[in-house]
Amino acid sequence: MNRPVRPPFGNFDIVHPALEVTDLLPAPVADALGNRDAREAAEAVLYVDTDPEKADTAVFCETYDAPLETSANCVVVAAGRGGETTLAACLGLAHTRIDVNRTVRKHLGARKASFAAMDTAVAETGMEYGGITPIGLPAGWPLLIDEAVVATPYVVIGSGRRRGKLILPGSALALLPGAEVLPGLCVPAP
């Protein structure tokens, strides 16, 4: 844990390879990193220690000098059809908006799609609201990723907690279980 590590962007006092600090991550995230078939991708993930009071995207980017274009947000969506509800995660760059009502709904074959209730998202993922990450999602969940995220050299995502973030190559996210890269998942934010 003493090896010096530098992130590709931002101003962080404490940076570690995520595999060296799994005790700082919620169990689903730590387990997913430790059990990844793509070991090289897991080794590329960095953990940066951050103030949980500054976890919201705009404040985080300003505080830690992280470009907004490198920040990706993960949201949990509930899609329903015929009394059945499917939970899925969607990942888009912070300066865009996930098109839940059209792209996500159609892709999941649902009549209706909306952001999942906070209590549902937290209970189902085992992660803190405001820190949900695509790493360590429940087995079988679709993970819809906007193509711009995968094309970004490095992105910062949640760590599963409000304290701390993960930085990794955008392309590594396409290797996660259930990942589907979708063109047009996100639209420009108003």
Side-chain angles (χ1 to χ4, degrees):
M1 211 180 339
N2 295 329
R3 145 180 111 160
V5 179
R6 296 185 51 84
F9 54 77
N11 184 16
F12 306 99
D13 293 332
I14 300 172
V15 183
H16 296 286
L19 288 174
E20 293 180 6
V21 291
T22 54
D23 57 315
L24 300 176
L25 303 170
V29 179
D31 291 346
L33 284 171
N35 296 326
R36 295 252 342 241
D37 291 332
R39 186 71 179 175
E40 186 177 320
E43 290 173 352
V45 180
L46 298 177
Y47 173 85
V48 294
D49 187 43
T50 59
D51 182 344
E53 297 298 318
K54 298 182 179 185
D56 293 333
T57 304
V59 173
F60 170 84
C61 288
E62 184 178 326
T63 301
Y64 297 101
D65 197 26
L68 188 62
E69 302 79 32
T70 63
S71 183
N73 292 327
C74 185
V75 298
V76 177
V77 173
R81 181 175 191 86
E84 295 289 320
T85 300
T86 299
L87 294 176
C90 299
L91 188 65
L93 293 174
H95 67 284
T96 65
R97 171 177 72 74
I98 295 169
D99 186 5
V100 174
N101 292 319
R102 189 177 34 176
T103 306
V104 174
R105 182 183 58 76
K106 285 181 182 178
H107 185 78
L108 296 176
R111 288 183 77 69
K112 182 180 178 187
S114 60
F115 295 107
M118 179 176 66
D119 292 348
T120 300
V122 169
E124 294 292 327
T125 63
M127 301 177 202
E128 292 178 4
Y129 196 75
I132 293 176
T133 184
I135 298 173
L137 293 170
W141 274 29
L143 169 58
L144 310 180
I145 306 173
D146 187 75
E147 65 184 347
V149 175
V150 175
T152 303
Y154 288 91
V155 294
V156 61
I157 60 175
S159 68
R161 292 191 171 140
R162 286 187 62 83
R163 172 169 219 109
K165 299 278 188 181
L166 301 176
I167 298 176
L168 68 162
S171 59
L173 292 162
L175 303 174
L176 291 171
E180 298 178 63
V181 179
L182 293 182
L185 176 63
C186 292
V187 296

